[in-house]
Amino acid sequence: RRPPRSTLFPYTTLFRSPTGMGFYSTAYDLYVPMYSIAMAGLPIAISRIVAEHVAAGRYKDVGKTLRVAKLAFVITGGTGFVLMIAAAFLLTGPMKIFNAGSLPGILCIAPCLIFCCVMSAYRGYYEGLRNMTPTAVSEVLEAFGKLVFGYLMAFAVLMATNNYSYAAAGALLGISIGTALSSFYLVVKYRVSNKHEFSAEQMMSASPAASSRDTLKRLVLIAIPIVLGSFEKAPLTSSQSKPAFAALF
């Protein structure tokens, strides 16, 4: 059954259809565990470490923590992105666990892993400085992008193709665009206006920053119990994605 070409409510058409909802939820259910693994509790660790450095007057370590965290997040996000793309082709191709119509949606939401990792590094940094404004603005931009671009993409695809698979991919692409907007704002915010949070006197009096290795080690040690706790509270996979992860791992 094809969706009506004249619909003005693509989300209603998409989600009322078991086929459309299936394509959408399959991609999202694969994305969520990948996101959880890639993030690995590091945003909370960044916030905590930055706050501790500020309280102790170790201002040089504040910027060092953000630099190390960004590198770590880019690596974990990029790795998660590659793994998700590879898993998408395997699960919809040779393994045939997911319907092939789920592939476009998975490919469209996969970039979120990179954008969310970058975004979370800056959010953790600002939260550690007790400045919640950048986080709030970025969340508004993220939600706005998801709603507006997701709606427009789903609407455009339904009008052009009447295809549930591509319509779900369009809605999921809106999520990626929303996270990209949020990440872009935080990067520009840091580079243009908030790069120097401390005075020259504070920086001169601060002790030398710890090594990148020690900073990364501390981030990981703080993140591990957070990750284990989040895994206990919420399952990594839904009933739909459990067979996929069982087959992959």
Side-chain angles (χ1 to χ4, degrees):
R1 181 185 174 187
R2 294 181 178 275
R5 182 177 292 273
S6 60
T7 181
L8 294 177
F9 303 98
Y11 278 6
T12 302
T13 303
L14 181 63
F15 294 143
R16 281 185 178 178
S17 163
T19 303
M21 187 60 188
F23 291 145
Y24 185 95
S25 60
T26 296
Y28 203 83
D29 287 344
L30 181 62
Y31 162 76
V32 168
M34 290 287 189
Y35 170 84
S36 300
I37 294 171
M39 297 300 292
L42 288 176
I44 299 176
I46 296 171
S47 173
R48 175 178 169 179
I49 293 175
V50 168
E52 288 180 359
H53 287 325
V54 173
R58 296 190 296 266
Y59 303 114
K60 293 179 181 178
D61 280 297
V62 174
K64 187 64 170 287
T65 300
L66 177 60
R67 290 192 295 272
V68 172
K70 284 193 296 184
L71 178 60
F73 272 20
V74 168
I75 292 174
T76 56
T79 302
F81 171 77
V82 172
L83 290 176
M84 188 167 179
I85 295 296
F89 283 102
L90 286 173
L91 295 172
T92 59
M95 293 184 176
K96 296 183 178 179
I97 295 177
F98 290 161
N99 190 296
S102 302
L103 180 61
I106 298 173
L107 298 181
C108 285
I109 199 174
C112 277
L113 290 171
I114 299 176
F115 296 132
C116 284
C117 285
V118 173
M119 177 175 59
S120 295
Y122 284 100
R123 285 181 178 177
Y125 169 77
Y126 282 116
E127 289 167 15
L129 294 175
R130 295 188 296 180
N131 181 3
M132 299 301 295
T133 301
T135 297
V137 174
S138 68
E139 288 178 350
V140 171
L141 287 174
E142 182 183 1
F144 176 82
K146 289 178 179 180
L147 174 63
V148 174
F149 289 102
Y151 181 93
L152 291 177
M153 294 289 182
F155 176 78
V157 171
L158 280 174
M159 292 293 290
T161 67
N162 281 352
N163 187 297
Y164 281 125
S165 174
Y166 294 139
L172 291 163
L173 183 60
I175 297 177
S176 293
I177 295 174
T179 55
L181 283 175
S182 180
S183 300
F184 179 75
Y185 161 76
L186 288 169
V187 171
V188 172
K189 172 72 174 174
Y190 177 77
R191 290 182 178 274
V192 172
S193 60
N194 280 17
K195 189 172 183 179
H196 303 290
E197 293 286 345
F198 311 107
S199 65
E201 291 78 10
Q202 288 175 317
M203 296 300 292
M204 288 292 293
S205 62
S207 58
S211 66
S212 298
R213 181 177 181 179
D214 291 340
T215 301
L216 179 60
K217 181 179 178 180
R218 189 154 184 240
L219 280 168
V220 173
L221 289 176
I222 294 177
I224 287 175
I226 299 172
V227 178
L228 296 177
S230 64
F231 288 174
E232 182 180 356
K233 290 179 181 179
L236 266 179
T237 56
S238 68
S239 59
Q240 184 177 12
S241 58
K242 281 180 180 178
F245 278 84
L248 288 172
F249 302 106

